[in-house]
Amino acid sequence: MKIKKILSLALAVQILGFNFVSCMGAESDPDAGMDLTGTYNITMWVSEKEGVAEQFRRQIDAFEAANPGIVINAEIEGVAEGDSGSRVVADVASAPDIYCFAQDQLARLVQAAALAVPGKNAQETIRANNDAGSVAAASVGGTIYAYPLTSDNGYYLYYDKSIVKNPESLEDIIADCEKNNVKFRYGLENAWYTASFFFATGCKSEWTMNEDGTFAAVSDNFNSPEGLIAMKGMQKLAKSPCYDSNADIFTNTGAIVTGIWNAETAESHFGENFAVTDLPSFSVDGKDYHLGSFTGNKLMGVKPQSDAKRAAVLSKLAQYLTGEECQNQRYESFQWGPSNLKAQASEAVQSNPSLAALAKQNAYGTPQGQIHGGWWDITRVLGAAAKSAKDESALEAALKNYQSAINGLLKPVTTT
């Protein structure tokens, strides 16, 4: 869906400098003294969720009202954040001026020179006003490349409290779901969720990038005794008749591991038996391991511009749209979890049961840094391997295959 917005606001006031009011309440970042008055035709990609584009349009109206003399004619298109990065990289020249994307796409966008680096003042403002995880998610090599939009891209447990009596134990949840012939939905064949068992046992897969966004090294110990424990824990669920890998539907569901994007659906499905909390622990050889998770963010990027004045306006607009007031508005409308520290501290956000569960789970979370794109396909196979393995040697073989595939990602490519 495209929404075209053409305004006829006259250039009312000529303003020098950047004494404009923004959602973040900070000074603008571009060179002091630059006159930004003018009319700007821009393109934007935002979430495809119903109502999001309309809200961004209203926020642009507010930006104009707060910044007399700047007129924004915005063409806004709904594009899923998980797809936007790939589309931008495929054709940077035709990409929109501003676009929203999931943090795992940052490395590719940096490599493609598809992101304008915010100026020094903007970077300082971003660091001061957003949580550390979101700042790290927007950064490569210590440089911030994007504007934090949310801090809610994690997962935890929704369940039916009339069925699940002890949500702290994976084994008890499985037993209750089997007893009541309902599904325990957990995306174990999706690497984002598969990793939770490995994080529980202390495993890691940490990637090092050069400043140009290329991957230089990896520290990964999934193929280890701790990784084998993770596979054994995962196998408990994967082999259960109650297991279902589809974590986005609720039909016949007693428990489901998902995130804030499914909060309304979860509340509607479970009704008066709705309950939500952090992930459970599993037990192997008499020791308990609390399931980990990825913590993640959505970001807003600005495409590099040849016109310095236009670049300054886009930076100013991105700061506004990712600021406290605008993040509060998106929480109120869509329950998007803020990255802005003041917005996080609001009474409404603090009292949200899903965001409270996310905050509780984040104590066991691993910030989703920049990860090689091939890792996702390699890791997702481990969930299927846990389900099909008939003995411990098969689990060990799956981990060895995983390690070989990871090593292959960093081998230099030779040409003739």
Side-chain angles (χ1 to χ4, degrees), residues 135-288:
V135 174
S139 303
V140 172
T143 298
I144 295 175
Y145 282 85
Y147 304 78
L149 188 67
T150 72
S151 280
D152 59 8
N153 207 24
Y155 45 89
Y156 39 88
L157 179 73
Y158 290 106
Y159 64 99
D160 185 323
K161 62 185 180 183
S162 70
I163 293 174
V164 175
K165 302 304 182 182
N166 179 21
E168 297 181 2
S169 165
L170 179 75
E171 290 82 1
D172 286 355
I173 297 172
I174 293 170
D176 286 340
C177 287
E178 288 180 351
K179 178 181 177 181
N180 289 274
N181 196 29
V182 293
K183 296 298 183 182
F184 184 177
R185 300 187 181 276
Y186 202 142
L188 298 184
E189 290 157 62
N190 177 327
W192 201 53
Y193 296 97
T194 306
S196 63
F197 281 82
F198 292 88
F199 293 156
T201 64
C203 293
K204 63 181 181 179
S205 187
E206 297 175 349
W207 296 79
T208 301
M209 288 192 309
N210 296 319
E211 291 187 359
D212 64 357
T214 59
F215 288 95
V218 61
S219 176
D220 185 295
N221 64 339
F222 278 30
N223 182 28
S224 64
E226 292 77 19
L228 182 60
I229 293 170
M231 291 290 284
K232 290 179 178 179
M234 189 158 43
Q235 191 174 50
K236 291 187 176 187
L237 175 57
K239 285 189 173 293
S240 169
C242 74
Y243 166 65
D244 194 298
S245 65
N246 192 326
D248 284 310
I249 64 174
F250 283 76
T251 304
N252 194 36
T253 296
I256 184 169
V257 174
T258 184
I260 192 71
W261 54 92
N262 277 324
E264 291 185 3
T265 305
E267 291 181 33
S268 175
H269 172 76
F270 294 122
E272 63 181 12
N273 292 316
F274 169 82
V276 57
T277 190
D278 59 327
L279 296 180
S281 297
F282 66 90
S283 179
V284 172
D285 297 330
K287 184 175 179 179
D288 292 336

Side-chain angles (χ1 to χ4, degrees), residues 40-52:
Y40 302 87
N41 299 318
I42 73 169
T43 53
M44 290 182 64
W45 286 352
V46 301
S47 170
E48 84 286 9
K49 302 295 184 182
E50 184 177 357
V52 173

Side-chain angles (χ1 to χ4, degrees), residues 8-28:
S8 60
L9 178 65
L11 300 183
V13 183
Q14 294 291 322
I15 297 180
L16 295 176
F18 290 87
N19 296 319
F20 302 130
V21 178
S22 78
C23 284
M24 299 182 76
E27 285 187 356
S28 187

Side-chain angles (χ1 to χ4, degrees), residues 81-145:
E81 294 99 332
D83 298 331
S84 60
S86 297
R87 291 180 58 177
V88 169
V89 168
D91 188 357
V92 177
S94 300
D97 298 299
I98 295 177
Y99 53 94
C100 302
F101 61 96
Q103 72 173 80
D104 63 304
Q105 301 167 34
L106 182 66
R108 290 184 298 157
L109 292 166
V110 171
Q111 281 185 288
L115 292 167
V117 177
K120 179 180 178 181
N121 292 343
Q123 294 210 27
E124 291 176 352
T125 299
I126 290 169
R127 288 191 178 93
N129 287 278
N130 294 277
D131 64 57
S134 68
V135 174
S139 303
V140 172
T143 298
I144 295 175
Y145 282 85

